[in-house]
Amino acid sequence: KKPAAPPTPEFIRRAQRQAFWRQPSVRGVLTGLSLALLLSLGVQAVHQFRDTLAAQHPSWRDALTTWCEWAHCTLQPPLRIDDLQVDSATLQRADSAGPDRYRLTVVVRNRAAVALAWPHVDLTLTDTMGAVVARRSFSPADAQWHDGSEPDARALPRPAAVPPKRSTTLVWQLRAPTLQPAGYTAELFYP
């Protein structure tokens, strides 16, 4: 019978474990994994912020469009509600359009240096006591668009995004047969 080998001291086992991580092949594998993870993180960041990158760097748009074809995504104008504001909102009776017809006109200002996605408008009608009597949201797809350069310019096709650094006018026609609103508010939001 062969005698049992004496146990290896702890300090030798610790040195052997540390030596494993210092081997060139192990360090090469770890470096490769780190670079692959960083590349993966970069691709995820570009994918997540593709709309903003395309708006801020137009020269990247072709590459991002190619990426989206491969990744089955779309490029859209960025959603930045903090850069949009209501310059004015008017709700007027439009008797020429028929009884109980109103025209909602909202002037939207884009303070950003890039075009942004069109917001929806939330219209809240109130009575004389300030209580809410009706509330409705309006899609920009249903609005007429005026470029804001001339106050009474004819309606034009709506651009794909709110133009940068300027005000634009959206107009909706609505019918409210039973309501007699005393006040209203209009707020922008993204659904």
Side-chain angles (χ1 to χ4, degrees):
K1 195 170 180 185
K2 195 174 184 183
T8 306
E10 178 60 31
F11 70 92
I12 292 178
R13 284 185 291 187
R14 191 177 319 125
Q16 289 171 338
R17 284 192 301 265
Q18 290 175 353
F20 172 79
W21 295 108
R22 290 188 186 130
Q23 294 177 14
S25 60
V26 172
R27 291 212 175 220
V29 168
L30 291 175
T31 300
L33 284 173
S34 297
L35 292 174
L37 289 172
L38 280 174
L39 179 62
S40 174
L41 180 64
V43 168
Q44 288 178 30
V46 167
H47 181 78
Q48 178 68 30
F49 300 108
R50 66 188 177 275
D51 298 332
T52 303
L53 290 171
Q56 291 178 344
H57 304 284
S59 61
W60 296 10
R61 189 166 198 77
D62 291 339
L64 290 168
T65 301
T66 302
W67 166 258
C68 277
E69 289 171 2
W70 183 81
H72 304 291
C73 61
T74 58
L75 280 180
Q76 299 174 345
L79 304 173
R80 291 181 14 203
I81 200 71
D82 291 341
D83 286 330
L84 298 174
Q85 72 182 35
V86 175
D87 273 354
S88 69
T90 57
L91 182 65
Q92 297 176 329
R93 189 176 287 275
D95 292 327
S96 61
D100 304 319
R101 296 286 182 163
Y102 292 86
R103 180 180 303 117
L104 173 63
T105 305
V106 179
V107 179
V108 178
R109 173 171 286 287
N110 180 357
R111 297 178 295 191
V114 297
L116 300 177
W118 286 103
H120 284 60
V121 174
D122 179 53
L123 176 67
T124 304
L125 302 177
T126 57
D127 62 12
T128 55
M129 301 300 288
V132 174
V133 294
R135 188 173 186 179
R136 180 175 166 198
S137 65
F138 293 89
S139 169
D142 299 330
Q144 293 178 328
W145 174 75
H146 300 272
D147 70 357
S149 60
E150 300 173 24
D152 294 324
R154 64 179 179 78
L156 301 168
R158 184 176 51 85
V162 182
K165 294 288 186 188
R166 59 184 257 214
S167 293
T168 56
T169 304
L170 297 173
V171 179
W172 290 270
Q173 305 295 327
L174 62 135
R175 188 167 176 253
T178 59
L179 299 176
Q180 299 277 331
Y184 61 91
T185 59
E187 296 179 12
L188 304 177
F189 73 99
Y190 287 124

